[in-house]
């Protein structure tokens, strides 16, 4: 689908510290304000990580449920919870994210070096996450950090069937130290590999840090969609900190409009993703 652009905002993440990035939304009120602002200018999906009272990453069930409920009450955005959490979170807690009842959840398709850490995703864990989402009607976004993860996804779908809703949507996470580079060449390689997935598979692309803009432009040029936000970059330009997630969404909207692929509304996004 190249007639419109699905724009996802990832406002917080689990890596940046509030003390170092004061504009980072870490409280529920801050997250809701960010969500409303970003929806108003063109975002259709919000990819959610949450923080505790000390602004540290958490997968607390009560907070997750409250966050999902508040976002649904205050916005029309598709609520996508991260099952990645922080790299130190145990598998049981990551699986329990689904108990909060999101519309969507991430499903990372393999282990990857993540800076100085290791983001561990065992095959058994991936299968468990995929099948639980099928049972609960939660639509996955398959996170692809390296080209081999697409082959793993092909294997997963072949053995365990299509996801809830029947539509396959992947997100290329590019530029993580240890994963694939955030370049147009890498994105084109992934784009070619998508052809081995079920017909109609769609993709978004996320450029980490300084790869944000080249990945954004390459994704639009090859028929893909966009994920932006302060989870992925806290610098708008060289030596210019991001002021808000709305600033990043506004830039993505402008690029999509320039490509003559205007942002999809949340309703249109639901139709695309099989929600």
């Amino acid at each position: 689908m190249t007639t419109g652009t699905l724009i996802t905002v990832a406002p917080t993440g689990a890596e940046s510290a509030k003390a170092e990035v004061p504009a980072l939304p870490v409280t529920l009120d801050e997250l809701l304000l960010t969500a409303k602002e970003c929806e108003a200018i063109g975002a259709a999906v919000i990819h959610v990580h949450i923080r505790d009272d000390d602004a540290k990453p958490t997968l607390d069930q009560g907070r997750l449920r409250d966050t999902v409920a508040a976002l649904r009450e205050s916005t029309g955005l598709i609520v996508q919870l991260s099952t990645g959490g922080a790299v130190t979170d145990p598998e049981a807690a990551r699986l329990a994210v689904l108990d909060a009842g999101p519309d969507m959840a991430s499903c990372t398709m393999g282990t990857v070096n993540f800076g100085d850490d290791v983001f561990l995703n065992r095959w058994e864990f991936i299968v468990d996450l995929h099948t639980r989402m099928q049972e609960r009607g939660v639509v996955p976004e398959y996170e692809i950090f390296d080209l081999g993860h697409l082959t793993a996804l092909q294997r997963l779908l072949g053995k365990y069937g299509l996801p809830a809703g029947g539509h396959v949507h992947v997100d290329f996470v590019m530029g993580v130290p240890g994963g694939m580079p955030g370049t147009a060449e890498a994105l084109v390689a992934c784009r070619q590999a998508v052809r081995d997935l079920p017909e109609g598979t769609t993709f978004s692309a996320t450029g980490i840090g300084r790869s944000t803009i080249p990945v954004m432009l390459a994704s639009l040029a090859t028929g893909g969609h966009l994920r932006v936000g302060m989870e992925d970059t806290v610098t708008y330009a060289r030596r210019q900190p991001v002021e808000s997630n709305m600033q990043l969404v506004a830039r993505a909207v402008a690029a999509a409009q320039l490509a003559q692929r205007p942002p999809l509304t949340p309703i249109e996004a639901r139709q695309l993703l099989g929600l």
Side-chain angles (χ1 to χ4, degrees):
M1 180 179 178
T2 58
T3 56
T5 304
L6 174 70
I7 295 180
T8 298
V9 60
T12 306
E15 286 74 47
S16 296
K18 179 74 168 177
E20 298 172 358
V21 187
L24 195 73
V26 296
T27 68
L28 183 54
D29 286 343
E30 289 172 341
L31 182 63
L32 291 176
L33 177 60
T34 288
K36 292 175 185 177
E37 291 175 339
C38 293
E39 180 184 23
I41 59 174
V45 180
I46 185 165
H47 174 81
V48 180
H49 290 253
I50 61 170
R51 302 292 181 100
D52 62 17
D53 290 338
D54 296 320
K56 294 181 179 178
T58 180
L59 293 179
D60 177 79
Q61 267 294 311
R63 287 178 182 267
L64 283 171
R65 290 178 184 275
D66 289 347
T67 300
V68 171
L71 286 168
R72 284 199 177 126
E73 182 178 348
S74 301
T75 77
L77 292 170
I78 296 168
V79 180
Q80 180 190 107
L81 293 183
S82 170
T83 65
V87 294
T88 54
D89 285 323
E91 290 180 351
R94 293 170 60 192
L95 290 170
V97 166
L98 301 179
D99 295 338
D103 302 306
M104 298 182 71
S106 60
C107 181
T108 301
M109 287 308 305
T111 296
V112 64
N113 288 325
F114 203 93
D116 295 332
D117 299 307
V118 176
F119 183 24
L120 182 63
N121 294 279
R122 299 181 308 112
W123 175 249
E124 293 83 357
F125 172 75
I126 294 169
V127 170
D128 201 359
L129 186 57
H130 173 76
T131 54
R132 289 190 189 203
M133 282 198 266
Q134 285 175 320
E135 294 165 359
R136 300 174 186 218
V138 176
V139 172
E141 178 178 84
Y142 299 103
E143 306 292 346
I144 308 298
F145 286 79
D146 223 334
L147 187 60
H149 291 181
L150 286 169
T151 304
L153 177 56
Q154 187 180 9
R155 176 189 176 200
L156 180 73
L157 299 174
K159 286 196 169 191
Y160 299 97
L162 291 172
H167 178 79
V168 178
H169 181 73
V170 304
D171 179 44
F172 304 144
V173 185
M174 312 182 74
V176 171
M180 62 182 160
T183 63
E185 291 84 357
L187 191 145
V188 168
C190 288
R191 178 69 181 88
Q192 296 283 14
V194 165
R195 295 178 180 176
D196 294 327
L197 296 173
E199 184 177 356
T201 294
T202 53
F203 71 92
S204 294
T206 304
I208 303 299
R210 68 184 63 184
S211 70
T212 294
I213 292 177
V215 167
M216 178 190 304
L217 298 177
S219 186
L220 287 170
T222 53
H225 304 278
L226 304 177
R227 186 182 104 170
V228 297
M230 295 180 72
E231 172 173 351
D232 305 316
T233 182
V234 294
T235 303
Y236 188 76
R238 188 178 182 188
R239 298 176 181 171
Q240 182 181 343
V242 172
E243 297 173 1
S244 70
N245 283 283
M246 183 170 59
Q247 185 184 28
L248 297 172
V249 172
R251 181 167 64 183
V253 168
Q257 290 172 336
L258 182 63
Q260 299 186 36
R261 293 182 48 205
L264 298 177
T265 67
I267 292 175
E268 292 169 334
R270 288 178 182 275
Q271 294 170 344
L272 171 69
L273 296 168
L275 283 159

